[in-house]
Amino acid sequence: MTNILPNGSGRSRRVLVSHTQIAESAIRLLNAHDVDVFFSPPYDPSEVVAARAAELQIDALMVRQGRIDDQVIGASAKLRVIVKHGVGVDNIDIAAATARGIPVLRALGSNSRAVAEHAIALALMLVKEIQPLNAAVKAGGWPKPSFIGKDFKGATIGLIGYGGIGRETARMAEALGMEVVVHDPYAPQAVQADGFAVAEIDAMLPVLDILSLHCPLTAGTRNLIDARRLALMKPGAVIVNTARGGLIDEAALAAALAEGRIAAAGLDSFAQEPPTADNPLWPLPTLTATPHIGGVTAGSARSMAEIAARHIISVLDGNPPDQRSLALASELSA
């Protein structure tokens, strides 16, 4: 079997990581609890990952990147737990895991600060028009005589989702002088307790300068921002998505950007990852893209791996899965 990279051998339990690396501290933690760590390159086809899982007869899966479907989940008769190296689990077939009695757990709280920083960084760049100014100067232009910038103080940012990441983003935005409005049907009391306004999506869109998405991808949130809602936003508004790509109808967003109805967008996630070369967003100069790395910093990567490792160790040691971290099929997209 090629491309299987173990960190050691001889231990009685095995975990397969859908990537080529995790934090060394997590590997040491797993090894200390009788778990060997094996790696599978990200985005390998399901049949390739399933063959590795079957040959190794893994006890656990730590999911970083790539699709984990029923073929992978059913490959090892010993598999007892699946853990996400992060919090978004829409790349895992939760229903298939549940049908086999295998819990799927998330590394909650591990990357909230990092993703919030990335969301604010994208918002800053878009509102301050850094990309077009950079392009103009490099092309020999000097738009200083005609350029009028925008202020953050007094700007209104709307957040959809008020979990750990949304909360961190709200605090940072407030520190920059922005007015914060939040939509989260599951946390209105928490939003109000923190001093922020609560609003329905359609009601807040016309007043926003920035829309930032921080909710999970579910059957109810897929294409949450569609052509109708994009049309509700005021000219000059910008959109930031550091959550899940499927939250935005990408074709509708491309049309809105091309027509100038939305000033700019900063996306860290896409409906298909990696995106195809013919994505309609690519030709648009008002689109800034990053490769779903908002939560990937040295500190957050270590935290994600260590939390995931502790979940694996706990379940393999016979403890019930942490209910707060448990992902349910009913919460996720079909």
Side-chain angles (χ1 to χ4, degrees):
M1 181 70 64
T2 60
N3 291 326
I4 296 179
L5 309 172
N7 78 294
S9 59
R11 299 175 182 89
S12 65
R13 306 185 292 191
R14 294 177 169 184
V15 59
L16 182 65
V17 179
S18 63
H19 203 278
T20 55
Q21 62 182 358
I22 57 173
E24 287 293 332
S25 57
I27 294 174
R28 290 193 297 269
L29 179 61
L30 287 161
N31 289 170
H33 288 83
D34 194 31
V35 182
D36 264 338
V37 182
F38 295 80
F39 298 92
S40 180
Y43 303 114
D44 264 359
S46 295
E47 59 270 21
V48 175
V49 182
R52 292 185 180 117
E55 178 170 326
L56 290 166
Q57 281 298 292
I58 57 171
D59 303 272
L61 264 171
M62 185 184 295
V63 181
R64 288 198 62 179
Q65 295 166 353
R67 178 71 182 165
I68 304 300
D69 60 14
D70 183 62
Q71 183 180 9
V72 177
I73 294 168
S76 172
K78 296 179 66 179
L79 185 64
R80 291 172 56 192
V81 61
I82 300 170
V83 179
K84 182 62 185 284
H85 183 280
V87 296
V89 290
D90 52 281
N91 62 330
I92 303 171
D93 190 336
I94 308 296
T98 301
R100 297 175 184 275
I102 300 170
V104 177
L105 300 170
R106 299 168 286 196
L108 294 179
S110 55
N111 62 358
S112 296
R113 173 78 188 194
V115 178
E117 288 179 354
H118 198 71
I120 292 294
L122 286 171
L124 286 166
M125 185 173 66
L126 297 176
V127 171
K128 293 299 184 182
E129 301 181 55
I130 301 300
Q131 291 274 59
L133 290 171
N134 174 64
V137 173
K138 286 183 176 179
W142 193 251
K144 181 174 181 177
S146 60
F147 180 76
I148 302 294
K150 300 182 182 71
D151 297 313
F152 272 94
K153 185 175 182 180
T156 301
I157 185 171
L159 310 179
I160 299 180
Y162 199 69
I165 297 168
R167 184 174 289 107
E168 289 280 1
T169 305
R171 291 169 180 163
M172 293 180 194
E174 183 182 41
L176 288 168
M178 286 187 264
E179 300 293 329
V180 179
V181 182
V182 181
H183 172 79
D184 189 327
Y186 304 103
Q189 293 179 332
V191 174
Q192 292 173 329
D194 288 343
F196 302 121
V198 175
E200 293 300 315
I201 297 174
D202 287 2
M204 74 180 184
L205 288 178
V207 303
L208 299 182
D209 299 291
I210 304 162
L211 172 64
S212 189
L213 305 182
H214 302 283
C215 57
L217 179 62
T218 71
T221 62
R222 184 173 293 280
N223 290 331
L224 184 70
I225 304 302
D226 56 10
R228 183 186 70 82
R229 284 190 161 134
L230 288 166
L232 293 176
M233 299 183 69
K234 68 180 183 181
V238 304
I239 296 176
V240 172
N241 185 13
T242 53
R244 284 297 183 267
L247 298 171
I248 298 177
D249 181 332
E250 291 180 359
L253 177 60
L257 289 169
E259 295 167 14
R261 289 185 285 111
I262 301 298
L267 306 182
D268 187 49
S269 57
F270 298 86
Q272 177 181 330
E273 294 184 354
T276 59
D278 61 352
N279 190 299
L281 293 164
W282 292 164
L284 299 166
T286 50
L287 184 281
T288 297
T290 55
H292 208 153
I293 46 72
V296 185
T297 65
S300 68
R302 181 173 60 253
S303 178
M304 284 187 282
E306 290 176 356
I307 293 172
R310 291 190 188 98
H311 280 316
I312 289 169
I313 293 162
S314 180
V315 172
L316 295 186
D317 282 350
N319 298 308
D322 176 55
Q323 291 300 304
R324 190 177 69 93
S325 304
L326 193 63
L328 302 177
S330 60
E331 299 174 348
L332 302 172
S333 58

